[in-house]
Amino acid sequence: MASVEVRIEKGPPVEPPAGPSGGPVRRRAPWHLRANALVVGWLALTVAVAGDGLPAPRWLLIHVFLLGAVSSAILIWSEHFAVALLRARTPDPRWSLTRLGLLNGAAVAVLYGVAAGPAVVAVAGAGVVVAVVVWHAAALVRLARRALPGRFGHVIAWYVCAAGALAAGGTLGALLAAHTGHGAVHERLHAAHAQVNLLGWVGLTVLGTLFTLWPTVLRTRMPERTRRASVVGLRLAVPGLALLTGGLAADLRPVAAAGLVVYAAGALAALVPLAEAVRARRPHTGAAWMLGAGVVWFEVALVADVVVVATRPAGGVAAGLEPLLPLVVAGFAGQVLLGSLLHLLPAVLGGGPVRFKENAALLERGWAARLAAFNAGVVLLALPVPRPLAVLGWALVLAAVAVFVVLAGVALARAASAERASGGQEDGGPAGGRGGAGRPVLSPALAGVVAGCVLTAAAVVVAVTGDPGSGPAVTATGAKTVEVTLSGMRVRPAVIEAAPGTVLTLRVTNTDAQRHDLRLASGERTPMLAAGQSAVLTLAPLGGQVEGWCTVAGHRAAGMTMRIVPVGALAGPGAGTAGDAGAGAGHGAHGAADGTRADAGAAGTGLDLGAAMSPGWRPYDAALKPAPGGAEHEVEIRVDDRAVLEVAPGVRQRMWTFNGTVPGPVLRGKVGDVFTVTFVNGGTMGHGIDFHAGANAPDEVMRTIQPGERLTYRFRADFAGAWLYHCSTMPMTQHIAAGMYGAVVIDPPDLARVDREYLLVQGELYLGEPGGDAQVVKSREGRPDGWMFNGTAAGYDHAPLEAKAGERVRIWAVAAGPSSGTALHVVGAPFDTVYKEGAYLLRAGGAGGAQVLDLAPAQGGFAELVFPEAGAYPVVDHTMRQAEGGAHGLFEVGAR
């Protein structure tokens, strides 16, 4: 690349000097050029995975190509061009190989972590990608500083800025994989991520490379104004890209649109010398035509991109960009990569002028037909054509790529065969001479990187896309239509049951602010659905369990999954069970003692919290009555460990209870009141009771009594507060987890009157038979299936608590655990009073306010607030995992 201004078309290449044996000395390119086998491997994997994404480019297809093939090529070639243009000494290949290996390993981690979870794998992979490109940029800067001043040094600045763009894009990708922000926020981050990666990492690299590659491919001189165009273009493109990315992320559409216009002006300035080179000599090879076509599609995509960003809100840009993805991914990035490899691979493979001509002729075989097919396919993808034509478009594009992969594979195999035929020696020298032909096409270390990364990525692709398989034919026995909604990182219903042989029709509607789709392991899938859009899936007769999930980055790992289960197959592996009393099935699927199926399967909670409650369900009355008069109170608490309760929407199971409810009855009084509790064990095993509000030696009153026995528990409430009581029988973790807890509320002296009082006792939910092996293991390990307010996950979503605007509301809270506390928060209404563990932390009338009432396990207190206006106010545990697992409800506030 250092001799880019030589008109090499004026005569045949000079034959290399002959060795002592009379044959030419074959000179090998450096190892990192031969690493293009890795790029070819990723291209082959792109073709293989493409069938899963037609007719629209899906996340997996795009990232296998861009993060795998394109990013590997950028890492390889930008270093080579930097060395050649700067006339610098080649860096230690071990570090370059390390960076390449880390990048590809991180790419595999991102593919797996986003598509199949856990999200932390994707986040870690994105972090490694960012670290590698920063390291790569630092290496290029070090090369430039050590090199003598030259006329091509300006190109290196493009590569360094491109690396900075990927660092920003990788960070945004990690945030998306970690599910940071939903709805419009998620869409804005998604749009910023796509723009900075495509226009920055890919666009800046390509523009910088074309300054020298394009004249070389055309075999003409570099235009005189190239350096000035490069400097002007970069000074416009980089600030424009920063404004575009920041404007999209911050929901500032005018800033984003202005930034994109500035970027486009920079790109146009950089392309001016390329147009001058074309006037000097027109394209005449397949490589030249593909590079030129790629640049044209880049310009078309930029114009369309400006229209999208200027006319849509930032939260809608990502959806608007989807039709442009084929233009950028296939038309621009794909053709530029193929055109570059067509030109560069023959030189990489070496073997002297004769071998160079043979390989060049092989790789360009039928290039005109391949070029026509590829670009005809891009045209079909760019137009709003019917689905069959869109599929044809992708088929044409992928066929052209597949032909190149085959030809490149043949060329690589020829080179390897020639090396073996030479006996592993230089012509006239011992094997392994420095820079000689005795080196293998791939070093053992590099061969390991190539094989390991591509094969691992292939295994990941198989794992995350699934294999529908043909399976035995099933006779249709009936039909059923199910309405399916996509919203809030959930597919509802999460489980669909039907008789074997049923032909299911799923009417899928996205009711969320961000885009979703639904893909089934049996092969059916919807297109990407914007808010309010619907699609219909018709399945083959049901023969076995079918998994489904959203393919948007990170959504499957966040729990956006579903299952279709044949009735009668519930006891199969992973299907969940009805009445599975601790049989050891997965913790996300357990049944109830009464045979009612427990709906489980969504990752993280195993619950469909948006489903309807069962007919006849009544919520636990959260309204707290005032303390009764008198200083002594008598109450009977009876164990019922056979009660079947609805613990989540549509999920009923046996619980161990006090008086048949979770939580048990509320005891309320004032400081100094005496409580006499008659504790009756009406259950089937030994139980006890422990009141935190009293001061008693535990030997007698907290002892375990057997079924049919009773005891009297008498205590004086000497201290104010919200107190926990629970079963005192060991193991207490198991008994509390099964529902044996309640609250004692002792009013502080001079407690002010309020308009309404509510009590929320938060507890963990463990699906399955109480005392069963599966539930016991989960409770010991602190792995609940969900969290509940007053015994039902999301119960107050379906039966909202009531208030009126301007009323003062007091919310008492107790964290029953057994292992997790709470950070109680009301969305849209700060607390002006907080009382925790017997002391006021905040009182109304002061300047301060509070966001949460934070309670460790077994702690209690209250918070007060005034709702400012009518509306629906969510009440949640601000430990988001616990809120999303069921610790949330609603206050329905009416006008006063």
Side-chain angles (χ1 to χ4, degrees):
M1 292 304 304
S3 56
V4 292
E5 296 194 46
V6 177
R7 293 180 178 269
I8 58 176
E9 76 275 12
K10 289 187 175 182
V14 179
E15 292 290 337
S21 60
V25 175
R26 293 187 296 274
R27 300 196 179 277
R28 269 277 165 229
W31 73 267
H32 58 274
L33 301 186
R34 287 173 273 145
N36 282 279
L38 182 63
V39 179
V40 174
W42 279 107
L43 284 174
L45 191 58
T46 301
V47 175
V49 77
D52 182 67
L54 298 181
R58 300 283 173 160
W59 183 92
L60 189 62
L61 169 64
I62 292 171
H63 284 74
V64 166
F65 176 63
L66 292 179
L67 191 55
V70 173
S71 293
S72 295
I74 290 176
L75 218 64
I76 294 166
W77 287 106
S78 60
E79 179 181 292
H80 165 63
F81 290 148
V83 170
L85 296 175
L86 296 172
R87 299 181 182 273
R89 183 175 181 179
T90 301
D92 188 338
R94 291 174 298 180
W95 296 116
S96 303
L97 178 60
T98 299
R99 287 194 292 272
L100 186 63
L102 286 173
L103 176 74
N104 282 267
V108 173
V110 170
L111 294 176
Y112 177 77
V114 170
V120 67
V121 176
V123 173
V128 173
V129 169
V130 170
V132 167
V133 297
V134 170
W135 182 11
H136 174 69
L140 296 182
V141 170
R142 188 163 52 249
L143 278 175
R145 287 178 174 175
R146 292 177 178 177
L148 295 175
R151 48 187 309 224
F152 304 116
H154 60 89
V155 173
I156 311 306
W158 289 82
Y159 295 153
V160 173
C161 292
L166 185 60
T171 302
L172 291 170
L175 292 175
L176 291 171
H179 328 305
T180 299
H182 298 306
V185 175
H186 183 281
E187 292 297 286
R188 296 202 307 268
L189 294 178
H190 184 190
H193 166 75
Q195 295 275 17
V196 74
N197 282 339
L198 290 172
L199 300 184
W201 175 236
V202 180
L204 295 180
T205 300
V206 170
L207 290 173
T209 300
L210 288 176
F211 288 122
T212 53
L213 181 62
W214 182 242
T216 303
V217 172
L218 292 181
R219 298 180 181 178
T220 186
R221 291 184 178 275
M222 182 183 297
E224 295 296 330
R225 68 175 71 185
T226 295
R227 181 180 180 85
R228 176 174 175 77
S230 172
V231 173
V232 172
L234 189 63
R235 288 178 177 176
L236 289 173
V238 172
L241 186 63
L243 289 173
L244 169 64
T245 306
L248 290 174
D251 198 15
L252 300 173
R253 184 175 67 180
V255 173
L260 183 54
V261 170
V262 173
Y263 174 91
L268 183 62
L271 292 173
V272 168
L274 277 63
E276 293 182 2
V278 171
R279 285 197 294 269
R281 180 161 190 185
R282 294 187 177 183
H284 57 284
T285 63
W289 277 104
M290 292 205 86
L291 286 171
V295 171
V296 171
W297 283 119
F298 180 61
E299 294 172 339
V300 172
L302 267 182
V303 172
D305 195 3
V306 170
V307 174
V308 170
V309 174
T311 58
R312 288 179 177 247
V317 169
L321 290 177
E322 280 205 350
L324 305 184
L325 285 176
L327 306 186
V328 179
V329 174
F332 169 53
Q335 285 200 105
V336 167
L337 179 61
L338 292 180
S340 300
L341 292 176
L342 278 175
H343 177 75
L344 296 168
L345 271 182
V348 168
L349 296 173
V354 175
R355 185 71 50 75
F356 174 89
K357 291 179 180 179
E358 290 177 353
N359 287 329
L362 172 65
L363 291 175
E364 293 217 351
R365 184 175 298 172
W367 68 265
R370 286 151 52 194
L371 178 75
F374 193 105
N375 285 278
V378 174
V379 170
L380 290 176
L381 297 175
L383 299 175
V385 297
R387 178 187 174 94
L389 289 179
V391 173
L392 174 62
W394 276 113
L396 291 172
V397 168
L398 293 170
V401 176
V403 170
F404 171 80
V405 169
V406 171
L407 295 177
V410 172
L412 288 167
R414 280 183 179 178
S417 176
E419 292 294 343
R420 290 192 296 270
S422 69
Q425 293 193 0
E426 295 273 7
D427 292 321
R434 184 174 181 86
R439 293 182 180 179
V441 176
L442 294 178
S443 68
L446 182 56
V449 171
V450 171
C453 290
V454 174
L455 291 178
T456 304
V460 167
V461 166
V462 171
V464 301
T465 57
D467 181 11
S470 56
V474 178
T475 302
T477 59
K480 180 178 181 180
T481 299
V482 180
E483 299 292 334
V484 177
T485 59
L486 311 176
S487 180
M489 290 297 168
R490 291 292 179 266
V491 182
R492 300 184 175 94
V495 176
I496 298 172
E497 295 179 352
T502 301
V503 176
L504 281 171
T505 298
L506 307 184
R507 299 185 184 276
V508 184
T509 303
N510 179 19
T511 61
D512 208 355
Q514 62 180 300
R515 294 164 302 141
H516 298 292
D517 67 350
L518 180 63
R519 180 238 165 85
L520 302 178
S522 52
E524 297 84 0
R525 70 188 314 161
T526 70
M528 195 63 65
L529 302 175
Q533 290 185 333
S534 300
V536 176
L537 300 179
T538 301
L539 284 65
L542 187 61
Q545 180 169 299
V546 179
E547 303 289 335
W549 60 90
C550 177
T551 68
V552 175
H555 289 195
R556 185 181 187 182
M560 204 164 184
T561 61
M562 68 170 297
R563 294 201 317 275
I564 300 172
V565 182
V567 174
L570 289 177
T577 61
D580 181 12
H587 75 274
H590 293 281
D594 67 347
T596 304
R597 188 182 171 281
D599 178 12
T605 67
L607 304 169
D608 182 6
L609 301 176
M613 303 301 295
S614 300
W617 171 78
R618 294 291 180 270
Y620 186 96
D621 188 2
L624 188 60
K625 298 178 176 59
E632 294 198 12
H633 313 281
E634 294 185 0
V635 63
E636 180 178 283
I637 295 181
R638 179 179 293 270
V639 171
D640 181 356
D641 57 17
R642 289 166 292 193
V644 176
L645 304 178
E646 187 154 2
V647 294
V651 181
R652 291 171 55 82
Q653 70 174 38
R654 185 154 72 95
M655 301 289 285
W656 296 348
T657 70
F658 295 130
N659 287 12
T661 63
V662 178
V666 180
L667 281 62
R668 188 171 192 183
K670 300 180 183 301
V671 174
D673 286 1
V674 175
F675 293 83
T676 301
V677 179
T678 301
F679 178 59
V680 181
N681 188 351
T684 60
M685 67 189 74
H687 293 288
I689 195 165
D690 173 9
F691 288 92
H692 289 194
N696 300 82
D699 308 62
E700 290 296 323
V701 294
M702 300 182 196
R703 73 182 188 274
T704 296
I705 62 174
Q706 297 307 311
E709 295 182 348
R710 64 176 58 208
L711 63 75
T712 299
Y713 193 135
R714 183 179 176 88
F715 67 90
R716 180 186 301 275
D718 292 324
F719 302 100
W723 303 86
L724 177 69
Y725 71 85
H726 59 86
C727 182
S728 58
T729 298
M730 295 295 291
M732 279 186 273
T733 298
Q734 179 181 331
H735 288 244
I736 297 173
M740 302 190 79
Y741 55 82
V744 177
V745 175
I746 306 300
D747 293 351
D750 303 320
L751 181 65
R753 292 181 59 84
V754 293
D755 296 296
R756 299 176 192 262
E757 286 186 281
Y758 289 105
L759 170 67
L760 298 178
V761 182
Q762 182 170 321
E764 298 166 359
L765 170 59
Y766 293 91
L767 297 176
E769 180 70 12
D773 291 345
Q775 195 192 68
V776 169
V777 169
K778 287 185 293 181
S779 63
R780 285 178 176 174
E781 295 178 354
R783 294 186 292 107
D785 296 287
W787 284 263
M788 307 178 290
F789 284 153
N790 293 347
T792 306
Y796 296 121
D797 282 3
H798 302 269
L801 307 176
E802 296 181 352
K804 291 186 180 298
E807 288 184 335
R808 175 163 290 276
V809 177
R810 179 179 295 134
I811 306 171
W812 292 84
V814 173
S819 300
S820 55
T822 185
L824 194 71
H825 170 73
V826 176
V827 180
F831 301 140
D832 61 21
T833 302
V834 174
Y835 179 90
K836 173 183 173 182
E837 288 293 279
Y840 282 96
L841 304 182
L842 183 68
R843 285 182 180 269
Q851 306 162 72
V852 297
L853 170 60
D854 59 315
L855 303 172
Q859 288 189 328
F862 68 78
E864 295 177 10
L865 70 159
V866 176
F867 290 105
E869 58 186 349
Y873 293 77
V875 54
V876 302
D877 179 345
H878 214 282
T879 309
M880 284 292 104
R881 173 173 174 256
Q882 297 176 190
E884 293 166 0
H888 57 78
L890 287 174
F891 274 96
E892 196 69 52
V893 178
R896 189 149 191 174

Coordinates of all heavy atoms in Angstrom, one line a residue, residues 488-490 492 558-559 599 602-610 647-649 651 762-767 783-789 791-795 797 820 875-889:
G488 N -44.0 -4.7 28.3 CA -43.4 -4.7 29.6 C -42.4 -5.9 29.8 O -42.3 -6.5 30.9
M489 N -41.7 -6.2 28.8 CA -40.7 -7.3 28.8 C -41.4 -8.7 29.2 O -40.8 -9.6 29.8 CB -39.6 -7.1 29.9 CG -38.6 -6.0 29.4 SD -37.8 -6.4 27.9 CE -37.0 -4.9 27.5
R490 N -42.6 -8.8 28.8 CA -43.4 -10.1 29.0 C -44.2 -10.4 27.7 O -44.7 -9.5 27.0 CB -44.3 -10.0 30.2 CG -43.6 -9.9 31.5 CD -42.9 -11.1 31.9 NE -42.1 -11.1 33.1 CZ -40.9 -10.7 33.2 NH1 -40.2 -10.4 32.2 NH2 -40.3 -10.7 34.4
R492 N -47.7 -12.3 27.0 CA -48.9 -12.7 27.7 C -49.9 -13.3 26.8 O -50.2 -12.7 25.8 CB -49.5 -11.5 28.5 CG -48.5 -10.9 29.5 CD -49.2 -9.8 30.2 NE -48.3 -9.2 31.3 CZ -47.5 -8.2 31.1 NH1 -47.5 -7.5 30.0 NH2 -46.8 -7.7 32.1
A558 N -34.2 -11.0 29.4 CA -34.9 -10.2 30.4 C -36.2 -10.9 30.8 O -37.0 -10.4 31.7 CB -35.2 -8.8 29.9
G559 N -36.6 -12.0 30.2 CA -37.7 -12.8 30.5 C -38.9 -12.7 29.5 O -40.0 -13.1 29.8
D599 N -48.6 -21.0 36.7 CA -48.0 -20.5 35.5 C -46.6 -20.0 35.8 O -46.4 -19.1 36.5 CB -48.9 -19.3 35.0 CG -48.3 -18.7 33.8 OD1 -47.4 -19.3 33.2 OD2 -48.8 -17.6 33.4
A602 N -41.4 -17.5 32.6 CA -40.7 -16.3 32.2 C -39.5 -16.2 33.0 O -39.5 -16.3 34.2 CB -41.6 -15.0 32.4
A603 N -38.3 -15.9 32.3 CA -37.1 -15.9 33.0 C -37.1 -14.8 34.1 O -37.6 -13.7 33.9 CB -35.9 -15.6 32.1
G604 N -36.5 -15.0 35.2 CA -36.4 -14.1 36.3 C -37.5 -14.2 37.3 O -37.3 -14.4 38.5
T605 N -38.8 -14.3 36.9 CA -39.9 -14.5 37.9 C -40.7 -15.7 37.6 O -41.3 -16.3 38.6 CB -40.9 -13.3 37.7 OG1 -41.6 -13.3 36.5 CG2 -40.2 -12.0 37.9
G606 N -40.8 -16.3 36.4 CA -41.6 -17.4 36.2 C -43.1 -17.1 36.3 O -43.9 -18.0 36.4
L607 N -43.5 -15.9 36.2 CA -44.9 -15.5 36.4 C -45.4 -14.6 35.3 O -44.7 -13.8 34.8 CB -45.1 -14.7 37.7 CG -44.6 -15.5 39.0 CD1 -44.5 -14.5 40.2 CD2 -45.4 -16.7 39.3
D608 N -46.7 -14.8 34.9 CA -47.3 -13.9 34.0 C -48.1 -12.9 34.8 O -49.3 -13.1 35.0 CB -48.2 -14.7 33.0 CG -48.8 -13.8 32.0 OD1 -48.5 -12.6 31.9 OD2 -49.7 -14.3 31.2
L609 N -47.5 -11.8 35.2 CA -48.1 -10.9 36.1 C -49.2 -10.1 35.5 O -50.0 -9.4 36.2 CB -47.0 -10.0 36.7 CG -45.9 -10.8 37.5 CD1 -44.9 -9.8 38.0 CD2 -46.5 -11.5 38.7
G610 N -49.3 -10.1 34.2 CA -50.3 -9.3 33.5 C -51.6 -10.1 33.2 O -52.5 -9.6 32.7
V647 N -51.6 -16.9 44.6 CA -50.4 -16.1 44.9 C -49.9 -15.2 43.8 O -49.0 -14.4 44.0 CB -49.3 -17.1 45.4 CG1 -49.7 -17.8 46.7 CG2 -48.9 -18.1 44.3
A648 N -50.4 -15.4 42.6 CA -50.1 -14.5 41.5 C -51.2 -14.7 40.5 O -52.0 -15.7 40.6 CB -48.8 -14.9 40.9
P649 N -51.4 -13.9 39.5 CA -52.5 -14.0 38.6 C -52.5 -15.4 37.9 O -51.6 -15.8 37.3 CB -52.1 -12.9 37.5 CG -51.4 -11.9 38.2 CD -50.5 -12.6 39.2
V651 N -52.3 -18.2 39.4 CA -51.4 -19.2 40.0 C -52.0 -19.5 41.4 O -51.9 -18.6 42.3 CB -50.0 -18.7 40.1 CG1 -49.1 -19.7 40.8 CG2 -49.5 -18.3 38.8
Q762 N -44.6 -7.1 52.7 CA -44.0 -7.7 51.6 C -43.3 -9.0 51.9 O -42.6 -9.1 52.9 CB -42.9 -6.8 51.0 CG -42.2 -7.3 49.8 CD -41.3 -6.3 49.1 OE1 -41.7 -5.1 49.0 NE2 -40.2 -6.7 48.6
G763 N -43.5 -10.0 51.1 CA -42.9 -11.4 51.3 C -42.5 -12.0 50.0 O -42.8 -11.5 48.9
E764 N -41.6 -13.0 50.2 CA -41.1 -13.7 49.0 C -42.1 -14.8 48.6 O -42.7 -15.4 49.4 CB -39.7 -14.2 49.3 CG -38.7 -13.2 49.6 CD -37.4 -13.7 50.2 OE1 -37.4 -15.0 50.4 OE2 -36.5 -13.0 50.5
L765 N -42.1 -15.1 47.3 CA -43.0 -16.1 46.8 C -42.1 -17.3 46.2 O -41.3 -17.0 45.4 CB -43.9 -15.6 45.6 CG -44.7 -16.6 44.8 CD1 -45.6 -17.4 45.7 CD2 -45.4 -15.9 43.7
Y766 N -42.4 -18.4 46.7 CA -41.7 -19.6 46.3 C -42.8 -20.6 45.7 O -43.6 -21.1 46.5 CB -40.9 -20.3 47.4 CG -39.8 -19.5 47.9 CD1 -39.9 -18.5 48.9 CD2 -38.5 -19.6 47.3 CE1 -38.8 -17.8 49.3 CE2 -37.4 -18.8 47.7 CZ -37.6 -17.9 48.7 OH -36.6 -17.1 49.1
L767 N -42.7 -20.8 44.4 CA -43.7 -21.7 43.8 C -43.4 -23.1 44.2 O -42.3 -23.5 44.3 CB -43.7 -21.5 42.3 CG -44.2 -20.1 41.8 CD1 -44.0 -20.1 40.3 CD2 -45.6 -19.8 42.2
R783 N -33.7 -17.8 46.3 CA -34.0 -17.6 44.9 C -35.5 -17.7 44.8 O -36.1 -18.6 44.3 CB -33.4 -18.7 44.1 CG -31.9 -18.7 44.0 CD -31.3 -19.7 43.0 NE -31.5 -21.1 43.5 CZ -32.4 -21.9 43.0 NH1 -33.2 -21.5 42.0 NH2 -32.6 -23.2 43.4
P784 N -36.2 -16.6 45.2 CA -37.7 -16.7 45.1 C -38.1 -16.6 43.6 O -37.4 -16.1 42.8 CB -38.1 -15.4 45.9 CG -36.9 -14.5 46.0 CD -35.7 -15.4 45.9
D785 N -39.3 -17.1 43.4 CA -39.9 -17.0 42.1 C -40.6 -15.6 41.9 O -40.9 -15.3 40.7 CB -41.0 -18.1 41.9 CG -40.3 -19.5 41.9 OD1 -39.7 -19.8 40.9 OD2 -40.5 -20.2 42.9
G786 N -40.8 -14.9 43.0 CA -41.4 -13.6 42.9 C -41.5 -13.0 44.2 O -41.0 -13.5 45.2
W787 N -42.1 -11.8 44.3 CA -42.3 -11.1 45.5 C -43.8 -10.6 45.6 O -44.4 -10.3 44.6 CB -41.4 -9.9 45.6 CG -40.0 -10.3 45.9 CD1 -39.4 -10.2 47.1 CD2 -39.0 -10.7 45.0 NE1 -38.0 -10.7 47.0 CE2 -37.8 -11.0 45.7 CE3 -39.0 -11.0 43.6 CZ2 -36.6 -11.5 45.1 CZ3 -37.8 -11.4 43.0 CH2 -36.7 -11.7 43.7
M788 N -44.3 -10.5 46.8 CA -45.8 -10.2 47.0 C -46.0 -9.1 47.9 O -45.2 -8.9 48.9 CB -46.5 -11.5 47.6 CG -46.2 -12.8 46.8 SD -47.0 -14.2 47.6 CE -46.0 -14.4 49.1
F789 N -47.0 -8.3 47.7 CA -47.6 -7.4 48.7 C -48.8 -8.1 49.2 O -49.7 -8.5 48.4 CB -48.0 -6.1 48.0 CG -46.9 -5.1 47.8 CD1 -47.0 -4.2 46.8 CD2 -45.7 -5.2 48.5 CE1 -45.9 -3.3 46.5 CE2 -44.7 -4.3 48.3 CZ -44.8 -3.4 47.3
G791 N -49.5 -11.1 50.1 CA -49.8 -12.5 49.8 C -50.0 -12.7 48.3 O -50.3 -13.9 47.9
T792 N -50.0 -11.7 47.4 CA -50.3 -11.9 46.0 C -49.3 -11.1 45.2 O -49.3 -9.8 45.4 CB -51.7 -11.6 45.6 OG1 -52.6 -12.3 46.4 CG2 -52.0 -12.0 44.2
A793 N -48.6 -11.7 44.3 CA -47.7 -10.9 43.4 C -48.6 -10.1 42.4 O -49.5 -10.7 41.8 CB -46.8 -11.8 42.6
A794 N -48.4 -8.8 42.4 CA -49.1 -7.9 41.5 C -50.6 -7.9 41.8 O -51.4 -7.4 40.9 CB -48.9 -8.3 40.0
G795 N -51.0 -8.3 43.0 CA -52.5 -8.3 43.3 C -53.1 -7.0 43.2 O -54.2 -6.8 42.7
D797 N -52.3 -4.5 41.3 CA -52.5 -4.1 40.0 C -53.9 -4.4 39.5 O -54.5 -3.6 38.7 CB -51.5 -4.8 39.0 CG -50.1 -4.3 39.1 OD1 -49.8 -3.4 40.0 OD2 -49.2 -4.8 38.4
S820 N -35.2 -11.1 51.9 CA -35.0 -9.8 51.2 C -35.9 -8.8 51.9 O -37.0 -9.0 52.4 CB -35.4 -9.9 49.8 OG -36.7 -10.4 49.6
V875 N -47.2 1.8 43.2 CA -46.5 1.6 44.4 C -45.6 0.3 44.2 O -46.1 -0.7 43.9 CB -47.4 1.5 45.6 CG1 -48.4 0.4 45.5 CG2 -46.6 1.2 46.9
V876 N -44.3 0.5 44.4 CA -43.4 -0.6 44.0 C -42.3 -0.7 45.1 O -42.0 0.2 45.9 CB -42.7 -0.3 42.7 CG1 -43.7 -0.2 41.6 CG2 -41.8 0.9 42.7
D877 N -41.6 -1.9 45.1 CA -40.3 -2.0 45.7 C -39.3 -1.5 44.7 O -39.2 -2.1 43.6 CB -40.1 -3.5 46.1 CG -38.8 -3.7 46.8 OD1 -37.9 -2.9 46.7 OD2 -38.6 -4.8 47.3
H878 N -38.6 -0.5 45.1 CA -37.6 0.1 44.1 C -36.4 -0.8 43.9 O -35.5 -0.4 43.2 CB -37.3 1.5 44.5 CG -37.0 2.4 43.2 ND1 -35.9 2.3 42.5 CD2 -37.9 3.3 42.6 CE1 -36.0 3.2 41.5 NE2 -37.2 3.8 41.5
T879 N -36.3 -1.9 44.6 CA -35.3 -2.9 44.2 C -35.9 -3.5 42.9 O -36.9 -4.3 43.0 CB -35.2 -4.0 45.2 OG1 -34.9 -3.4 46.5 CG2 -34.1 -5.0 44.9
M880 N -35.5 -3.1 41.7 CA -36.2 -3.3 40.5 C -36.5 -4.8 40.2 O -37.5 -5.1 39.7 CB -35.5 -2.7 39.3 CG -35.6 -1.2 39.3 SD -37.3 -0.6 38.9 CE -37.9 -0.1 40.5
R881 N -35.5 -5.6 40.5 CA -35.8 -7.1 40.3 C -37.0 -7.5 41.1 O -37.8 -8.3 40.6 CB -34.5 -7.8 40.7 CG -34.7 -9.4 40.7 CD -33.4 -10.1 40.9 NE -33.5 -11.5 41.1 CZ -33.5 -12.2 42.2 NH1 -33.3 -11.5 43.3 NH2 -33.7 -13.5 42.2
Q882 N -37.2 -7.0 42.3 CA -38.3 -7.4 43.1 C -39.6 -6.8 42.6 O -40.6 -7.4 42.7 CB -38.0 -7.1 44.6 CG -36.8 -7.9 45.1 CD -36.3 -7.6 46.5 OE1 -35.3 -8.0 46.9 NE2 -37.1 -6.9 47.2
A883 N -39.5 -5.5 42.2 CA -40.7 -4.9 41.6 C -41.2 -5.7 40.4 O -42.3 -6.0 40.2 CB -40.4 -3.5 41.2
E884 N -40.2 -6.0 39.5 CA -40.6 -6.7 38.3 C -41.0 -8.1 38.6 O -41.6 -8.8 37.7 CB -39.4 -6.7 37.3 CG -39.1 -5.3 36.8 CD -37.8 -5.2 36.1 OE1 -37.0 -6.2 36.0 OE2 -37.4 -4.1 35.6
G885 N -40.7 -8.6 39.7 CA -41.1 -10.0 40.2 C -42.4 -10.0 40.9 O -42.7 -11.0 41.5
G886 N -43.1 -8.9 41.0 CA -44.4 -8.9 41.6 C -44.6 -7.9 42.7 O -45.8 -7.7 43.1
A887 N -43.6 -7.3 43.3 CA -43.8 -6.3 44.4 C -44.2 -5.0 43.8 O -43.4 -4.0 43.8 CB -42.5 -6.2 45.2
H888 N -45.3 -4.9 43.2 CA -45.8 -3.7 42.7 C -47.4 -3.7 42.7 O -48.0 -4.8 42.7 CB -45.3 -3.4 41.3 CG -45.6 -4.4 40.3 ND1 -46.8 -4.6 39.7 CD2 -44.8 -5.4 39.8 CE1 -46.7 -5.6 38.8 NE2 -45.5 -6.1 38.9
G889 N -48.0 -2.5 42.8 CA -49.4 -2.4 42.7 C -49.7 -1.0 42.3 O -48.9 -0.3 41.8

